[in-house]
Amino acid sequence: MTIARDHLRADDLTLPQIADAVGYLFPFAAAFRRHHGEPPGTWRQRERTAARVLRSDVTAAHRPQRDLTEPGRAAGTAERSEPPPGIRPRRAPARGPAP
């Protein structure tokens, strides 16, 4: 079943082709379901979806960040911008004397 699982994950073989490759004829889907808890087609779809999500997360994590600083200004030294009109900046709460 491990070899069948690897074929499902990596290849575009049909289920009968995978069954033949691992030595099963007709009871392949039932045996796969008993071993993995779900039919081979469902398992393949879930694995491919998970791999696609994982690839997109890894790609996003390694995407270079844009430099949003002004030309001539070093990164990380941008001045604080003023809030839009009508919006007051948040202030830290005042602390009273300790009890």
Side-chain angles (χ1 to χ4, degrees), residues 11 52 87:
D11 302 332
R52 209 173 312 128
I87 305 292

Side-chain angles (χ1 to χ4, degrees), residues 20-99:
D20 187 46
V22 296
Y24 276 85
L25 295 177
F26 294 104
F28 170 68
F32 189 93
R33 183 180 304 169
R34 273 194 307 274
H35 189 77
H36 290 286
E38 60 188 338
T42 303
W43 189 93
R44 175 185 267 174
Q45 185 64 36
R46 182 179 49 76
E47 284 294 310
R48 287 184 176 176
T49 302
R52 209 173 312 128
V53 169
L54 180 61
R55 277 194 306 271
S56 68
D57 288 348
V58 168
T59 303
H62 293 291
R63 190 173 294 137
Q65 299 294 320
R66 294 184 334 172
D67 184 9
L68 300 177
T69 59
E70 297 174 21
R73 182 180 286 276
T77 61
E79 295 178 17
R80 294 180 80 176
S81 63
E82 293 296 319
I87 305 292
R88 294 188 312 193
R90 296 180 87 188
R91 298 176 192 247
R95 290 194 166 161

